[in-house]
């Protein structure tokens, strides 16, 4: 990453942590909850959310849910358990192999073909979401999101799956900022150092699947989204043109994942268009 | 003649969005507390009675300046001067972001926010009508003027108040946190600090900055309220992010010394400014920005 961009993206760690912890306390308690629940994958994003939530609410008020599939890497579960031990937080391990395999056994028969890795990955992400929202009701706890700004912009996530949550403390942090803040709050080294992976199939890594590095993505996204440079201006600065275009297109194509469903306007006042209230309305 | 040293309180509160009743109660509490601490004035943040992003709640939370809720605070100003802010609805049903200065049980001055930010994360002009003037007024703390948040980001506004002999600028605000990057020295907070320090020194005034705290749908209002003296120093600073009441002692003798030492206001050429602006407006090819 270029030194000037790296410096521009460098967080004031203490302030960022305190704003995010305040955010969690305020937005959780305002709507009448005390507790939160979240999926803990063994990756850096959910680890950071876990540390922030624990710092904000206290260890008794958070609940980590580990949801391995049979092909999940054993090191993922081990890394997640290290977070659980380090924070000394309550946790539940919920195997999702049973429901996933049962589903595809039936669906593959119905469709007469084997599901693609993409469909299987999406189904796993949604199975985890369904589990978290069930535990949300069981434990009277809000679901905390674990998607960062880079993946939200790239649309590198499953709609109504890992992208679903009630509140997301890390959604305005680029991946490099997630790494910086994670080191600050004490996320274990093994998690800080490993290659990011959705772990939906063996040997998957995000960067291999995306075809570019998170550093490249952060650098280009920051200049386009935050600094409002045009793609042409970014290319002028010496970035690879096809990469810039590819990333910009990806963001545009995935805008739908970041929005609630659109509603056909018929009346004078339509939800999502001119019925304007914050979600905090009434709280 | 007012005494040289005066105590000013700032209520750095987290208003509850759309809950006039709860916010009124908090105002009453803080006013009592400031009064007990011997303050002569308490300043509340912008839209302290309603919360900031009222959006379509505007229609519900708007009150006339003579409504019983507003009057209940004006009544409390028998003990201590109070500057507070709410959504004002006029008889012809326009909605303003308004601040009232009340003293001795009466409204002494009303300011309607002139500059309504409608860009980026802000959407004020969608809901509110803009005020159309900056008037200084006599208060028990000397000649004062009010700038509501974005008003203070326009150079001409504090200038106009200073030219009307204001020595005290009161700035109720709902300023959100933007940019926690290290290089930006935490963004909006740093900008406000530089701005107010510079105004205080250029115009030889005390400035009371009352910014709210709390969160609205993930938007963080950072607080950082305080009082800046005419030499650019902070007499008191509230913590960032926490509700609190802070009190500062303003010494008008400092204004006197600063204005004598660096007489920028004295040397200001109001006629020159007025005639050049007038000439500019007369020019056939002149297009005022934004109009």
């Amino acid at each position: 990453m270029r030194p000037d961009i790296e410096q521009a993206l460098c967080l004031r760690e203490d302030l960022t942590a305190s704003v995010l912890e305040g955010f969690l306390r305020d937005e959780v308690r305002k709507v009448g909850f005390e507790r939160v629940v979240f999926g803990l994958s063994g990756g850096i994003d959910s680890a950071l959310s876990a540390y922030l939530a624990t710092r904000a609410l206290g260890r008794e008020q958070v609940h980590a849910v580990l949801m391995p599939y049979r092909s999940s890497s054993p090191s993922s579960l081990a890394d997640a358990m290290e977070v659980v031990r380090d924070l000394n937080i309550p946790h539940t391990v919920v195997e999702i192999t049973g429901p996933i395999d049962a589903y595809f056994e039936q669906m593959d028969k119905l469709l007469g073909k084997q599901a693609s890795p993409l469909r299987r990955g999406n189904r796993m992400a949604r199975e985890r979401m369904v589990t978290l929202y069930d535990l949300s009701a069981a434990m009277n706890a809000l679901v905390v999101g674990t998607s960062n700004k880079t993946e939200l912009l790239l649309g590198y996530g499953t709609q109504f799956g890992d992208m679903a949550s009630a509140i997301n403390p890390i959604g305005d942090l680029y991946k490099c900022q997630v790494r910086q803040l994670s080191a600050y709050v004490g996320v274990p080294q093994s998690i800080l150092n490993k290659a990011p992976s959705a772990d939906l199939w063996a040997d998957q890594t995000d960067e291999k699947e995306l075809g570019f590095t998170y550093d490249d993505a952060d650098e280009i996204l920051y200049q386009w989204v935050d600094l409002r440079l045009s793609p042409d201006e970014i290319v002028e600065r010496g970035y690879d043109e096809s990469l810039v275009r590819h990333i910009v297109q990806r963001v545009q194509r995935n805008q739908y994942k970041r929005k609630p469903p659109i509603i056909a306007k018929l009346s004078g006042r339509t939800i999502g268009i001119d019925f304007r209230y914050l979600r905090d309305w009434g709280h | 003649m007012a005494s040289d040293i005066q105590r000013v309180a700032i209520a750095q509160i987290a208003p509850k969005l759309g809950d006039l009743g709860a916010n009124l109660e908090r105002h009453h509490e803080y006013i009592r507390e400031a009064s007990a601490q011997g303050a002569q004035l308490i300043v509340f943040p912008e839209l302290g009675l309603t919360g900031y992003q009222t959006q379509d709640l505007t229609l519900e939370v708007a009150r006339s300046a003579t409504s019983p809720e507003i009057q209940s605070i004006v009544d409390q100003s028998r003990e201590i001067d109070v500057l507070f802010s709410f959504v004002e609805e006029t008889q012809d049903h326009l909605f303003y972001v308004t601040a009232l200065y009340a003293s001795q049980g009466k409204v002494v001055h009303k300011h309607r926010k002139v500059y309504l930010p409608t860009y980026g994360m802000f959407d004020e002009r969608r809901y509110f009508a803009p005020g159309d003037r900056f008037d200084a007024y006599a208060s028990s703390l000397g000649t004062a003027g009010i700038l509501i948040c974005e008003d203070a980001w326009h150079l001409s506004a504090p200038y106009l108040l200073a030219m009307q002999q204001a020595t005290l600028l009161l700035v109720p605000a709902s300023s959100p946190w933007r940019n926690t990057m290290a290089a930006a020295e935490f963004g909006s907070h740093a900008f406000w600090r530089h701005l107010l320090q510079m105004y205080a020194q250029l115009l030889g005034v005390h400035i009371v900055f009352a910014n709210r705290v709390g969160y609205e749908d993930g938007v963080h209002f950072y607080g950082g309220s305080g009082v800046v003296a005419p030499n650019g120093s902070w007499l008191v600073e509230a913590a960032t992010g926490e509700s609190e009441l802070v009190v500062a002692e303003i010494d008008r003798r400092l204004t006197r010394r600063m204005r004598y030492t660096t007489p920028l206001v004295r040397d200001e050429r109001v006629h020159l400014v007025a005639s050049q602006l007038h000439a500019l407006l007369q020019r056939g090819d002149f297009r005022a920005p934004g109009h």
Side-chain angles (χ1 to χ4, degrees):
Chain A
M1 200 177 275
R2 295 184 184 195
D4 59 325
I5 304 289
E6 192 174 351
Q7 204 200 338
L9 285 170
C10 183
L11 297 168
R12 282 277 305 252
E13 292 151 344
D14 51 343
L15 286 167
T16 307
S18 109
V19 170
L20 296 180
E21 288 158 26
F23 162 78
L24 284 164
R25 273 191 296 272
D26 190 271
E27 297 289 0
V28 168
R29 291 177 184 161
K30 191 152 55 185
V31 293
F33 286 78
E34 289 294 331
R35 299 167 60 77
V36 296
V37 62
F38 47 84
L40 192 65
S41 67
I44 194 167
D45 299 305
S46 60
L48 177 56
S49 285
Y51 278 79
L52 289 171
T54 307
R55 286 164 65 109
L57 301 165
R59 53 170 291 273
E60 296 295 339
Q61 305 300 338
V62 305
H63 196 98
V65 188
L66 291 64
M67 295 170 281
Y69 179 69
R70 59 180 159 81
S71 67
S72 300
S73 153
S75 70
S76 296
L77 192 64
D79 285 336
M81 280 309 298
E82 198 179 335
V83 171
V84 166
R85 272 194 300 273
D86 186 40
L87 291 173
N88 191 21
I89 53 177
H91 75 287
T92 307
V93 180
V94 186
E95 279 269 355
I96 61 164
T97 306
I100 293 296
D101 287 355
Y103 174 82
F104 282 112
E105 196 188 330
Q106 171 176 297
M107 194 51 72
D108 287 355
K109 267 186 217 149
L110 285 172
L111 296 183
K113 63 173 181 186
Q114 230 190 350
S116 64
L118 178 73
R119 280 181 54 214
R120 296 181 60 83
N122 279 337
R123 186 67 182 75
M124 286 177 217
R126 293 191 180 116
E127 180 64 30
R128 293 184 174 118
M129 177 279 292
V130 166
T131 306
L132 286 175
Y133 273 85
D134 178 49
L135 290 176
S136 167
M139 295 174 172
N140 205 27
L142 275 186
V143 176
V144 169
T146 59
S147 297
N148 64 58
K149 187 173 186 173
T150 309
E151 60 187 10
L152 285 173
L153 284 170
L154 293 173
Y156 189 58
T158 299
Q159 194 185 26
F160 314 124
D162 53 302
M163 290 176 91
S165 68
I167 49 169
N168 180 355
I170 68 167
D172 204 17
L173 294 173
Y174 284 110
K175 189 74 177 186
C176 64
Q177 297 174 316
V178 166
R179 282 197 290 263
Q180 186 195 348
L181 197 61
S182 294
Y184 173 76
V185 298
V187 169
Q189 280 299 327
S190 57
I191 296 176
L192 293 177
N193 294 336
K194 71 179 174 185
S197 167
D199 198 18
L200 295 170
W201 52 83
D203 294 329
Q204 182 189 23
T205 74
D206 293 357
E207 294 182 339
K208 228 191 292 181
E209 197 188 359
L210 286 165
F212 48 81
T213 67
Y214 274 122
D215 272 1
D216 284 344
D218 287 354
E219 210 169 328
I220 289 167
L221 288 171
Y222 170 69
Q223 293 177 84
W224 182 49
V225 174
D226 294 70
L227 300 185
R228 296 179 195 260
L229 293 180
S230 71
D232 287 342
E233 287 171 296
I234 297 170
V235 173
E236 256 174 52
R237 290 181 166 201
Y239 293 89
D240 178 66
E241 178 161 9
S242 61
L243 180 60
V244 172
R245 305 252 172 257
H246 175 68
I247 284 177
V248 166
Q249 241 173 31
R250 226 194 128 112
V251 176
Q252 291 170 349
R253 210 175 49 232
N254 286 312
Q255 175 72 347
Y256 76 94
K257 291 191 184 177
R258 293 181 289 268
K259 300 286 256 181
I262 53 171
I263 291 174
K265 185 165 178 65
L266 293 173
S267 72
R269 207 159 173 226
T270 309
I271 297 159
I273 298 176
D274 38 25
F275 179 73
R276 290 173 180 256
Y277 299 91
L278 292 193
R279 199 176 80 173
D280 280 357
W281 183 20
H283 298 292
Chain B
M1 177 75 188
S3 74
D4 288 330
I5 297 178
Q6 291 155 323
R7 288 168 75 81
V8 176
I10 300 172
Q12 180 170 290
I13 56 170
K16 205 162 175 239
L17 182 66
D19 194 338
L20 212 58
N23 295 325
L24 267 171
E25 217 168 282
R26 199 160 309 162
H27 275 59
H28 291 311
E29 281 165 24
Y30 271 80
I31 293 168
R32 280 194 295 272
E33 176 60 29
S35 182
Q37 292 193 29
Q40 281 140 287
L41 165 66
I42 179 167
V43 181
F44 286 91
E46 173 187 22
L47 294 180
L49 282 181
T50 61
Y52 177 65
Q53 298 176 80
T54 54
Q55 299 189 335
D56 278 345
L57 283 169
T58 302
L59 203 54
E60 286 171 46
V61 299
R63 292 292 183 277
S64 86
T66 54
S67 68
E69 290 100 332
I70 301 306
Q71 191 56 44
S72 75
I73 297 185
V74 174
D75 286 344
Q76 256 191 312
S77 73
R78 292 199 175 87
E79 300 290 316
I80 172 176
D81 289 5
V82 182
L83 174 66
F84 66 104
S85 169
F86 62 105
V87 176
E88 181 200 5
E89 180 172 356
T90 59
Q91 274 194 323
D92 56 343
H93 309 297
L94 298 182
F95 302 89
Y96 293 94
V97 178
T98 292
L100 288 187
Y101 189 104
S103 180
Q104 311 285 321
K106 290 197 178 93
V107 174
V108 170
H109 183 70
K110 172 160 61 183
H111 175 68
R112 292 169 172 161
K113 190 175 187 178
V114 171
Y115 291 105
L116 302 170
T118 305
Y119 57 81
M121 61 177 293
F122 304 106
D123 208 13
E124 294 183 22
R125 192 69 176 88
R126 166 182 281 274
Y127 305 99
F128 302 118
D132 60 3
R133 40 193 318 107
F134 293 102
D135 287 332
Y137 60 96
S139 81
S140 57
L141 290 88
T143 304
I146 299 170
L147 301 168
I148 302 178
C149 207
E150 185 92 352
D151 285 342
W153 285 33
H154 288 261
L155 282 173
S156 53
Y159 177 84
L160 285 170
L161 293 173
M163 291 308 104
Q164 295 170 70
Q165 301 172 4
T167 53
L168 177 65
L169 301 185
L170 306 171
V171 186
S174 284
S175 183
W177 186 284
R178 305 188 288 296
N179 203 345
T180 51
M181 272 64 126
E185 275 186 18
F186 46 123
S188 44
H189 190 187
F191 189 92
W192 268 110
R193 288 180 64 81
H194 296 151
L195 186 82
L196 298 178
Q197 286 160 209
M198 200 49 76
Y199 285 162
Q201 292 175 87
L202 288 174
L203 301 173
V205 292
H206 280 91
I207 303 180
V208 180
F209 176 59
N211 190 29
R212 62 162 289 183
V213 289
Y215 294 76
E216 285 181 357
D217 270 21
V219 172
H220 174 49
F221 301 89
Y222 67 86
S225 306
V227 179
V228 196
N231 60 5
S233 66
W234 288 78
L235 299 177
V236 70
E237 285 177 84
T240 52
E242 303 295 327
S243 288
E244 65 175 311
L245 181 78
V246 293
V247 180
E249 286 198 343
I250 286 179
D251 188 342
R252 290 165 54 86
R253 291 170 299 188
L254 176 63
T255 313
R256 178 173 181 262
R257 288 198 300 276
M258 292 310 299
R259 286 195 163 201
Y260 183 79
T261 310
T262 313
L264 299 178
V265 169
R266 181 197 72 190
D267 295 347
E268 189 56 39
R269 305 279 298 275
V270 185
H271 289 288
L272 180 154
V273 174
S275 78
Q276 280 210 244
L277 281 176
H278 183 71
L280 194 62
L281 290 171
Q282 298 308 305
R283 260 170 48 180
D285 62 346
F286 177 71
R287 268 184 52 234
H291 289 280

